[in-house]
Amino acid sequence: MVMDMAAASAGESQVKNTSRKLIKHGTLTLEADDVVKTKAEIEKICLSHKAYVSSEDQRNSDDRLAYHQEIRVPADHFDQLLEKIEALGSSVESKTINTQDVTEEFIDIEARLKTKKDLEIRYRELLSMGKTVNDMLAIETQMANVRAEIESMEGRLNYLTNQVTFSTLKVTYFETLTINFGFASKFATSLGSGWDNLLAFLVALASMWPFIILLSGLGWI
């Protein structure tokens, strides 16, 4: 019990004395006057802040042209990059910033990783002293399990390191497409409406032919 409390106290002390490991994510949606020019400006901003676009796609609809980009930027450049990209829009539709503190997880993985590596060294020493085939096979099996755990921890540690080093900004910028309501557009619309009305009249007239014949016969009588 005393040892557990001491270990916990030591862990808390280590967290306090360690620089915080923060993962920052952001999403930004803004309206732009020209998405093509905005895209070119974002590429320049990324270049000046050592950032890069990890993925992007274009989404079009009848009244909107939009781009979506995921940007990875060094953590110490995140705020400046966000501010400059935000200034490109004519209006900001939404903005969300999330910060996740993974300091404790980082320290915990490093401590467990050290323990596993020490155990692996111990198994190697035992393997060199193995006397029977069964003993050696049993030790190799344990070593394989420890090695798998080490690789898993190293993978997680590498992922956390990458996420802490590079922040992520998901930005969507769109351009609202305007419809031309000039003379040519109105004239073309009027022609279409006139033709539709004529067709509707002919259809209605065709459906009334029995009444027309009846009225004609009554008129003749």
Side-chain angles (χ1 to χ4, degrees), residues 18-54:
T18 302
S19 59
R20 311 304 297 183
K21 304 292 183 182
L22 305 176
I23 297 177
K24 185 174 288 187
H25 291 274
T27 59
L28 176 65
T29 302
L30 52 86
E31 183 173 6
D33 296 328
D34 188 328
V35 293
V36 176
K37 290 183 180 179
T38 301
K39 184 174 184 292
E41 289 298 322
I42 289 178
E43 290 174 355
K44 293 179 182 178
I45 293 172
C46 288
L47 186 62
S48 65
H49 287 281
K50 301 178 181 179
Y52 65 93
V53 177
S54 60

mmCIF file of all heavy atoms in Angstrom, residues 18-54:
data_model
loop_
_atom_site.group_PDB
_atom_site.id
_atom_site.type_symbol
_atom_site.label_atom_id
_atom_site.label_comp_id
_atom_site.label_asym_id
_atom_site.label_seq_id
_atom_site.Cartn_x
_atom_site.Cartn_y
_atom_site.Cartn_z
ATOM 1 N N THR A 18 7.315 17.517 -16.125
ATOM 2 C CA THR A 18 7.470 17.253 -17.550
ATOM 3 C C THR A 18 6.687 18.286 -18.350
ATOM 4 O O THR A 18 5.594 18.695 -17.952
ATOM 5 C CB THR A 18 6.949 15.839 -17.898
ATOM 6 O OG1 THR A 18 7.672 14.880 -17.121
ATOM 7 C CG2 THR A 18 7.148 15.533 -19.373
ATOM 8 N N SER A 19 7.255 18.725 -19.453
ATOM 9 C CA SER A 19 6.538 19.653 -20.316
ATOM 10 C C SER A 19 5.281 18.973 -20.832
ATOM 11 O O SER A 19 5.285 17.794 -21.175
ATOM 12 C CB SER A 19 7.423 20.090 -21.491
ATOM 13 O OG SER A 19 7.823 18.963 -22.261
ATOM 14 N N ARG A 20 4.183 19.713 -20.871
ATOM 15 C CA ARG A 20 2.901 19.141 -21.243
ATOM 16 C C ARG A 20 2.909 18.638 -22.682
ATOM 17 O O ARG A 20 3.475 19.262 -23.580
ATOM 18 C CB ARG A 20 1.788 20.179 -21.090
ATOM 19 C CG ARG A 20 1.760 20.920 -19.789
ATOM 20 C CD ARG A 20 1.691 20.036 -18.582
ATOM 21 N NE ARG A 20 0.464 19.234 -18.522
ATOM 22 C CZ ARG A 20 0.156 18.421 -17.535
ATOM 23 N NH1 ARG A 20 0.998 18.284 -16.507
ATOM 24 N NH2 ARG A 20 -0.965 17.749 -17.536
ATOM 25 N N LYS A 21 2.292 17.487 -22.892
ATOM 26 C CA LYS A 21 2.139 16.909 -24.220
ATOM 27 C C LYS A 21 0.699 17.164 -24.655
ATOM 28 O O LYS A 21 -0.235 16.527 -24.172
ATOM 29 C CB LYS A 21 2.429 15.404 -24.198
ATOM 30 C CG LYS A 21 3.799 15.034 -23.642
ATOM 31 C CD LYS A 21 4.922 15.487 -24.557
ATOM 32 C CE LYS A 21 6.275 15.037 -24.028
ATOM 33 N NZ LYS A 21 7.408 15.492 -24.874
ATOM 34 N N LEU A 22 0.531 18.117 -25.562
ATOM 35 C CA LEU A 22 -0.807 18.551 -25.969
ATOM 36 C C LEU A 22 -1.051 18.237 -27.435
ATOM 37 O O LEU A 22 -0.202 18.493 -28.295
ATOM 38 C CB LEU A 22 -0.979 20.050 -25.724
ATOM 39 C CG LEU A 22 -0.717 20.543 -24.301
ATOM 40 C CD1 LEU A 22 -0.843 22.060 -24.243
ATOM 41 C CD2 LEU A 22 -1.652 19.889 -23.301
ATOM 42 N N ILE A 23 -2.231 17.689 -27.702
ATOM 43 C CA ILE A 23 -2.662 17.442 -29.084
ATOM 44 C C ILE A 23 -3.765 18.447 -29.396
ATOM 45 O O ILE A 23 -4.793 18.499 -28.722
ATOM 46 C CB ILE A 23 -3.191 16.001 -29.259
ATOM 47 C CG1 ILE A 23 -2.079 14.993 -28.988
ATOM 48 C CG2 ILE A 23 -3.746 15.806 -30.665
ATOM 49 C CD1 ILE A 23 -2.536 13.544 -29.073
ATOM 50 N N LYS A 24 -3.543 19.241 -30.441
ATOM 51 C CA LYS A 24 -4.497 20.291 -30.776
ATOM 52 C C LYS A 24 -5.143 19.990 -32.132
ATOM 53 O O LYS A 24 -4.473 19.734 -33.120
ATOM 54 C CB LYS A 24 -3.801 21.657 -30.808
ATOM 55 C CG LYS A 24 -4.750 22.828 -31.023
ATOM 56 C CD LYS A 24 -4.023 24.166 -30.908
ATOM 57 C CE LYS A 24 -3.648 24.457 -29.466
ATOM 58 N NZ LYS A 24 -3.100 25.828 -29.306
ATOM 59 N N HIS A 25 -6.484 20.038 -32.148
ATOM 60 C CA HIS A 25 -7.256 19.847 -33.368
ATOM 61 C C HIS A 25 -8.168 21.061 -33.567
ATOM 62 O O HIS A 25 -8.704 21.602 -32.601
ATOM 63 C CB HIS A 25 -8.123 18.586 -33.285
ATOM 64 C CG HIS A 25 -7.342 17.309 -33.289
ATOM 65 N ND1 HIS A 25 -6.937 16.677 -34.437
ATOM 66 C CD2 HIS A 25 -6.882 16.547 -32.275
ATOM 67 C CE1 HIS A 25 -6.280 15.580 -34.138
ATOM 68 N NE2 HIS A 25 -6.217 15.476 -32.820
ATOM 69 N N GLY A 26 -8.355 21.438 -34.813
ATOM 70 C CA GLY A 26 -9.244 22.552 -35.099
ATOM 71 C C GLY A 26 -10.050 22.316 -36.362
ATOM 72 O O GLY A 26 -9.601 21.621 -37.284
ATOM 73 N N THR A 27 -11.258 22.864 -36.403
ATOM 74 C CA THR A 27 -12.088 22.841 -37.613
ATOM 75 C C THR A 27 -12.533 24.269 -37.902
ATOM 76 O O THR A 27 -12.890 25.028 -36.987
ATOM 77 C CB THR A 27 -13.321 21.937 -37.445
ATOM 78 O OG1 THR A 27 -14.115 22.410 -36.351
ATOM 79 C CG2 THR A 27 -12.909 20.498 -37.192
ATOM 80 N N LEU A 28 -12.508 24.617 -39.177
ATOM 81 C CA LEU A 28 -12.849 25.980 -39.585
ATOM 82 C C LEU A 28 -13.650 25.917 -40.880
ATOM 83 O O LEU A 28 -13.245 25.261 -41.832
ATOM 84 C CB LEU A 28 -11.574 26.802 -39.787
ATOM 85 C CG LEU A 28 -11.740 28.232 -40.315
ATOM 86 C CD1 LEU A 28 -12.479 29.096 -39.301
ATOM 87 C CD2 LEU A 28 -10.381 28.844 -40.644
ATOM 88 N N THR A 29 -14.792 26.578 -40.885
ATOM 89 C CA THR A 29 -15.623 26.672 -42.094
ATOM 90 C C THR A 29 -15.868 28.140 -42.381
ATOM 91 O O THR A 29 -16.337 28.879 -41.505
ATOM 92 C CB THR A 29 -16.968 25.952 -41.902
ATOM 93 O OG1 THR A 29 -16.736 24.581 -41.579
ATOM 94 C CG2 THR A 29 -17.796 26.020 -43.176
ATOM 95 N N LEU A 30 -15.533 28.559 -43.585
ATOM 96 C CA LEU A 30 -15.683 29.965 -43.934
ATOM 97 C C LEU A 30 -16.162 30.125 -45.372
ATOM 98 O O LEU A 30 -15.970 29.251 -46.218
ATOM 99 C CB LEU A 30 -14.368 30.720 -43.710
ATOM 100 C CG LEU A 30 -13.080 30.170 -44.334
ATOM 101 C CD1 LEU A 30 -12.916 30.669 -45.757
ATOM 102 C CD2 LEU A 30 -11.873 30.574 -43.504
ATOM 103 N N GLU A 31 -16.803 31.255 -45.608
ATOM 104 C CA GLU A 31 -17.254 31.601 -46.961
ATOM 105 C C GLU A 31 -16.211 32.484 -47.608
ATOM 106 O O GLU A 31 -15.659 33.384 -46.976
ATOM 107 C CB GLU A 31 -18.606 32.305 -46.917
ATOM 108 C CG GLU A 31 -19.160 32.613 -48.304
ATOM 109 C CD GLU A 31 -20.578 33.155 -48.272
ATOM 110 O OE1 GLU A 31 -21.090 33.409 -47.162
ATOM 111 O OE2 GLU A 31 -21.163 33.332 -49.367
ATOM 112 N N ALA A 32 -15.922 32.219 -48.892
ATOM 113 C CA ALA A 32 -14.906 32.969 -49.623
ATOM 114 C C ALA A 32 -15.513 33.571 -50.884
ATOM 115 O O ALA A 32 -16.495 33.054 -51.424
ATOM 116 C CB ALA A 32 -13.737 32.059 -49.979
ATOM 117 N N ASP A 33 -14.915 34.656 -51.337
ATOM 118 C CA ASP A 33 -15.386 35.270 -52.582
ATOM 119 C C ASP A 33 -14.971 34.454 -53.802
ATOM 120 O O ASP A 33 -15.690 34.397 -54.786
ATOM 121 C CB ASP A 33 -14.837 36.698 -52.697
ATOM 122 C CG ASP A 33 -15.366 37.603 -51.591
ATOM 123 O OD1 ASP A 33 -16.514 37.386 -51.151
ATOM 124 O OD2 ASP A 33 -14.636 38.513 -51.166
ATOM 125 N N ASP A 34 -13.803 33.815 -53.709
ATOM 126 C CA ASP A 34 -13.279 33.017 -54.820
ATOM 127 C C ASP A 34 -12.492 31.851 -54.225
ATOM 128 O O ASP A 34 -11.401 32.040 -53.682
ATOM 129 C CB ASP A 34 -12.383 33.885 -55.712
ATOM 130 C CG ASP A 34 -11.960 33.170 -56.996
ATOM 131 O OD1 ASP A 34 -11.805 31.929 -56.962
ATOM 132 O OD2 ASP A 34 -11.790 33.848 -58.023
ATOM 133 N N VAL A 35 -13.028 30.637 -54.325
ATOM 134 C CA VAL A 35 -12.379 29.493 -53.683
ATOM 135 C C VAL A 35 -11.058 29.128 -54.348
ATOM 136 O O VAL A 35 -10.139 28.617 -53.698
ATOM 137 C CB VAL A 35 -13.314 28.263 -53.671
ATOM 138 C CG1 VAL A 35 -14.506 28.495 -52.778
ATOM 139 C CG2 VAL A 35 -13.753 27.877 -55.076
ATOM 140 N N VAL A 36 -10.933 29.391 -55.640
ATOM 141 C CA VAL A 36 -9.685 29.064 -56.340
ATOM 142 C C VAL A 36 -8.548 29.946 -55.808
ATOM 143 O O VAL A 36 -7.449 29.466 -55.512
ATOM 144 C CB VAL A 36 -9.847 29.237 -57.861
ATOM 145 C CG1 VAL A 36 -8.511 28.990 -58.569
ATOM 146 C CG2 VAL A 36 -10.904 28.270 -58.394
ATOM 147 N N LYS A 37 -8.818 31.227 -55.672
ATOM 148 C CA LYS A 37 -7.811 32.137 -55.128
ATOM 149 C C LYS A 37 -7.532 31.818 -53.657
ATOM 150 O O LYS A 37 -6.386 31.882 -53.200
ATOM 151 C CB LYS A 37 -8.281 33.583 -55.272
ATOM 152 C CG LYS A 37 -8.309 34.081 -56.710
ATOM 153 C CD LYS A 37 -8.726 35.543 -56.765
ATOM 154 C CE LYS A 37 -8.747 36.054 -58.204
ATOM 155 N NZ LYS A 37 -9.181 37.477 -58.281
ATOM 156 N N THR A 38 -8.576 31.477 -52.922
ATOM 157 C CA THR A 38 -8.403 31.127 -51.514
ATOM 158 C C THR A 38 -7.515 29.901 -51.369
ATOM 159 O O THR A 38 -6.652 29.842 -50.491
ATOM 160 C CB THR A 38 -9.771 30.861 -50.857
ATOM 161 O OG1 THR A 38 -10.582 32.035 -50.983
ATOM 162 C CG2 THR A 38 -9.607 30.514 -49.388
ATOM 163 N N LYS A 39 -7.719 28.917 -52.234
ATOM 164 C CA LYS A 39 -6.905 27.701 -52.204
ATOM 165 C C LYS A 39 -5.432 28.033 -52.447
ATOM 166 O O LYS A 39 -4.536 27.518 -51.774
ATOM 167 C CB LYS A 39 -7.403 26.711 -53.255
ATOM 168 C CG LYS A 39 -6.689 25.358 -53.253
ATOM 169 C CD LYS A 39 -7.374 24.418 -54.250
ATOM 170 C CE LYS A 39 -6.747 23.027 -54.201
ATOM 171 N NZ LYS A 39 -5.377 22.995 -54.704
ATOM 172 N N ALA A 40 -5.164 28.918 -53.410
ATOM 173 C CA ALA A 40 -3.792 29.321 -53.706
ATOM 174 C C ALA A 40 -3.170 30.062 -52.523
ATOM 175 O O ALA A 40 -1.994 29.848 -52.189
ATOM 176 C CB ALA A 40 -3.765 30.198 -54.954
ATOM 177 N N GLU A 41 -3.956 30.902 -51.853
ATOM 178 C CA GLU A 41 -3.454 31.641 -50.699
ATOM 179 C C GLU A 41 -3.154 30.700 -49.532
ATOM 180 O O GLU A 41 -2.161 30.868 -48.816
ATOM 181 C CB GLU A 41 -4.473 32.701 -50.260
ATOM 182 C CG GLU A 41 -4.604 33.876 -51.217
ATOM 183 C CD GLU A 41 -3.306 34.657 -51.359
ATOM 184 O OE1 GLU A 41 -2.598 34.812 -50.341
ATOM 185 O OE2 GLU A 41 -2.999 35.100 -52.470
ATOM 186 N N ILE A 42 -3.997 29.692 -49.335
ATOM 187 C CA ILE A 42 -3.774 28.729 -48.254
ATOM 188 C C ILE A 42 -2.483 27.953 -48.498
ATOM 189 O O ILE A 42 -1.724 27.671 -47.555
ATOM 190 C CB ILE A 42 -4.975 27.774 -48.130
ATOM 191 C CG1 ILE A 42 -6.176 28.529 -47.552
ATOM 192 C CG2 ILE A 42 -4.640 26.564 -47.256
ATOM 193 C CD1 ILE A 42 -7.436 27.699 -47.432
ATOM 194 N N GLU A 43 -2.217 27.612 -49.748
ATOM 195 C CA GLU A 43 -0.973 26.906 -50.075
ATOM 196 C C GLU A 43 0.244 27.764 -49.727
ATOM 197 O O GLU A 43 1.253 27.258 -49.222
ATOM 198 C CB GLU A 43 -0.970 26.525 -51.553
ATOM 199 C CG GLU A 43 -1.985 25.430 -51.892
ATOM 200 C CD GLU A 43 -2.082 25.164 -53.387
ATOM 201 O OE1 GLU A 43 -1.432 25.909 -54.164
ATOM 202 O OE2 GLU A 43 -2.786 24.216 -53.779
ATOM 203 N N LYS A 44 0.154 29.055 -49.978
ATOM 204 C CA LYS A 44 1.254 29.963 -49.622
ATOM 205 C C LYS A 44 1.425 30.041 -48.103
ATOM 206 O O LYS A 44 2.552 30.035 -47.588
ATOM 207 C CB LYS A 44 0.984 31.365 -50.190
ATOM 208 C CG LYS A 44 1.023 31.449 -51.705
ATOM 209 C CD LYS A 44 0.722 32.871 -52.161
ATOM 210 C CE LYS A 44 0.710 32.979 -53.677
ATOM 211 N NZ LYS A 44 0.370 34.355 -54.131
ATOM 212 N N ILE A 45 0.310 30.127 -47.388
ATOM 213 C CA ILE A 45 0.364 30.206 -45.925
ATOM 214 C C ILE A 45 0.976 28.931 -45.348
ATOM 215 O O ILE A 45 1.810 28.990 -44.431
ATOM 216 C CB ILE A 45 -1.051 30.441 -45.355
ATOM 217 C CG1 ILE A 45 -1.554 31.828 -45.763
ATOM 218 C CG2 ILE A 45 -1.046 30.311 -43.833
ATOM 219 C CD1 ILE A 45 -3.013 32.077 -45.401
ATOM 220 N N CYS A 46 0.579 27.788 -45.888
ATOM 221 C CA CYS A 46 1.138 26.518 -45.418
ATOM 222 C C CYS A 46 2.648 26.471 -45.632
ATOM 223 O O CYS A 46 3.403 26.028 -44.760
ATOM 224 C CB CYS A 46 0.474 25.347 -46.149
ATOM 225 S SG CYS A 46 -1.235 25.034 -45.655
ATOM 226 N N LEU A 47 3.078 26.934 -46.778
ATOM 227 C CA LEU A 47 4.504 26.925 -47.088
ATOM 228 C C LEU A 47 5.283 27.807 -46.119
ATOM 229 O O LEU A 47 6.376 27.433 -45.654
ATOM 230 C CB LEU A 47 4.720 27.401 -48.532
ATOM 231 C CG LEU A 47 6.146 27.329 -49.071
ATOM 232 C CD1 LEU A 47 6.635 25.885 -49.097
ATOM 233 C CD2 LEU A 47 6.223 27.950 -50.461
ATOM 234 N N SER A 48 4.731 28.955 -45.768
ATOM 235 C CA SER A 48 5.434 29.888 -44.874
ATOM 236 C C SER A 48 5.468 29.395 -43.435
ATOM 237 O O SER A 48 6.288 29.849 -42.641
ATOM 238 C CB SER A 48 4.774 31.269 -44.934
ATOM 239 O OG SER A 48 3.453 31.217 -44.424
ATOM 240 N N HIS A 49 4.566 28.453 -43.087
ATOM 241 C CA HIS A 49 4.518 27.949 -41.702
ATOM 242 C C HIS A 49 4.932 26.480 -41.612
ATOM 243 O O HIS A 49 4.627 25.807 -40.617
ATOM 244 C CB HIS A 49 3.114 28.131 -41.127
ATOM 245 C CG HIS A 49 2.772 29.551 -40.802
ATOM 246 N ND1 HIS A 49 3.218 30.176 -39.664
ATOM 247 C CD2 HIS A 49 2.050 30.481 -41.477
ATOM 248 C CE1 HIS A 49 2.772 31.421 -39.635
ATOM 249 N NE2 HIS A 49 2.054 31.633 -40.723
ATOM 250 N N LYS A 50 5.608 25.969 -42.639
ATOM 251 C CA LYS A 50 6.137 24.602 -42.652
ATOM 252 C C LYS A 50 5.017 23.565 -42.474
ATOM 253 O O LYS A 50 5.218 22.510 -41.886
ATOM 254 C CB LYS A 50 7.194 24.423 -41.559
ATOM 255 C CG LYS A 50 8.378 25.366 -41.701
ATOM 256 C CD LYS A 50 9.373 25.185 -40.571
ATOM 257 C CE LYS A 50 10.544 26.157 -40.700
ATOM 258 N NZ LYS A 50 11.514 26.003 -39.589
ATOM 259 N N ALA A 51 3.830 23.899 -42.961
ATOM 260 C CA ALA A 51 2.690 22.993 -42.882
ATOM 261 C C ALA A 51 2.492 22.309 -44.230
ATOM 262 O O ALA A 51 3.078 22.698 -45.241
ATOM 263 C CB ALA A 51 1.430 23.767 -42.492
ATOM 264 N N TYR A 52 1.642 21.286 -44.223
ATOM 265 C CA TYR A 52 1.340 20.595 -45.482
ATOM 266 C C TYR A 52 -0.105 20.107 -45.455
ATOM 267 O O TYR A 52 -0.688 19.883 -44.392
ATOM 268 C CB TYR A 52 2.295 19.425 -45.710
ATOM 269 C CG TYR A 52 2.171 18.290 -44.699
ATOM 270 C CD1 TYR A 52 1.346 17.184 -44.936
ATOM 271 C CD2 TYR A 52 2.882 18.321 -43.500
ATOM 272 C CE1 TYR A 52 1.244 16.161 -44.009
ATOM 273 C CE2 TYR A 52 2.782 17.291 -42.576
ATOM 274 C CZ TYR A 52 1.966 16.214 -42.841
ATOM 275 O OH TYR A 52 1.858 15.197 -41.917
ATOM 276 N N VAL A 53 -0.671 19.963 -46.652
ATOM 277 C CA VAL A 53 -2.043 19.472 -46.790
ATOM 278 C C VAL A 53 -1.991 17.953 -46.883
ATOM 279 O O VAL A 53 -1.461 17.395 -47.831
ATOM 280 C CB VAL A 53 -2.724 20.069 -48.035
ATOM 281 C CG1 VAL A 53 -4.128 19.497 -48.205
ATOM 282 C CG2 VAL A 53 -2.774 21.593 -47.942
ATOM 283 N N SER A 54 -2.554 17.271 -45.884
ATOM 284 C CA SER A 54 -2.512 15.807 -45.857
ATOM 285 C C SER A 54 -3.629 15.183 -46.687
ATOM 286 O O SER A 54 -3.491 14.051 -47.161
ATOM 287 C CB SER A 54 -2.586 15.304 -44.420
ATOM 288 O OG SER A 54 -3.792 15.724 -43.806
#
